[in-house]
């Protein structure tokens, strides 16, 4: 079971629909980092994937991962990172979790389209379950207020727009 809790603000961030980045360890010690859809439920983070993917193979060999969800809006950047034990779930439990993940990101029309829904279901044949042991959260508005007296957020031209 996850060992730490999050503030309501960051809990809400994880409940919203964002693209996350998951990091796993390659055999040579480097990090494999990729964008993923996710589900946050009962303190766990779930990611649908293929058993043939590098992230799944990495977790099978080295069962740990980190997952980051963040908002990148200039002046209001914030995010949360979870790190911990990772495991692969397969079979019917995986199919059910993956279905919920897909439904978070795709419309009912996409899910029922025979060239979309079933393809995702066949590709994503396992689920990564991340059990967070540590959480790191950040909020640039809080840092701005504490370190810069709010100048970054209220001074036009201080922060450049993202491309």
């Amino acid at each position: 079971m996850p060992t730490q809790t999050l503030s309501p603000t960051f809990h809400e961030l994880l409940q919203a629909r964002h693209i996350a980045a998951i990091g796993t360890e390659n055999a040579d010690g480097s990090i494999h980092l990729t964008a993923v859809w996710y589900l946050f439920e009962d303190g766990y983070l779930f990611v649908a994937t293929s058993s043939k993917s590098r992230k799944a193979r990495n977790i099978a060999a080295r069962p740990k991962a980190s997952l980051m969800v963040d908002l990148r809006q200039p002046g209001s950047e914030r995010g949360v990172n979870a790190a911990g034990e990772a495991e692969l779930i397969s079979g019917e439990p995986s199919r059910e979790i993956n279905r919920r993940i897909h439904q978070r990101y795709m419309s009912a029309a996409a899910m029922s389209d025979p060239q979309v829904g079933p393809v995702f279901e066949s590709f994503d044949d396992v689920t990564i379950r991340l059990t967070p042991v540590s959480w790191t959260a950040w909020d640039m508005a809080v840092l701005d207020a504490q370190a810069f007296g709010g100048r970054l957020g209220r001074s036009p031209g201080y922060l450049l727009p993202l491309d």
Side-chain angles (χ1 to χ4, degrees):
M1 191 65 154
T3 59
Q4 294 181 345
T5 58
L6 287 170
S7 73
T9 300
F10 290 104
H11 193 276
E12 288 173 21
L13 177 68
L14 288 169
Q15 291 295 335
R17 188 175 43 247
H18 300 288
I19 302 299
I22 190 167
T24 59
E25 185 181 357
N26 291 317
D28 66 2
S30 64
I31 300 302
H32 174 65
L33 189 63
T34 188
V36 294
W37 293 347
Y38 72 95
L39 173 66
F40 179 60
E41 201 170 75
D42 300 325
Y44 298 100
L45 290 154
F46 298 94
V47 174
T49 193
S50 166
S51 57
K52 296 175 180 141
S53 69
R54 176 170 295 189
K55 59 187 166 291
R57 293 189 325 261
N58 283 348
I59 286 170
R62 290 163 298 283
K64 57 187 176 180
S66 292
L67 187 132
M68 181 184 75
V69 177
D70 68 326
L71 298 179
R72 299 175 188 192
Q73 299 162 342
S76 62
E77 301 93 345
R78 61 189 166 123
V80 62
N81 185 76
E85 305 289 324
E87 64 182 296
L88 296 175
I89 299 170
S90 60
E92 186 54 36
S94 172
R95 282 188 287 281
E96 178 53 37
I97 295 166
N98 291 353
R99 191 172 302 113
R100 292 197 310 272
I101 294 169
H102 296 153
Q103 288 172 340
R104 271 176 50 86
Y105 290 89
M106 292 190 291
S107 69
M111 293 291 294
S112 64
D113 184 323
Q115 293 183 320
V116 177
V119 174
F120 268 97
E121 189 173 323
S122 68
F123 282 164
D124 291 344
D125 62 336
V126 295
T127 308
I128 297 167
R129 178 170 68 180
L130 176 62
T131 303
V133 255
S134 66
W135 293 96
T136 306
W138 65 95
D139 186 330
M140 285 302 294
V142 172
L143 176 62
D144 180 23
Q146 291 173 345
F148 306 111
R151 284 179 178 80
L152 293 179
R154 68 172 184 258
S155 300
Y158 271 36
L159 295 175
L160 299 174
L162 300 174
D163 294 335

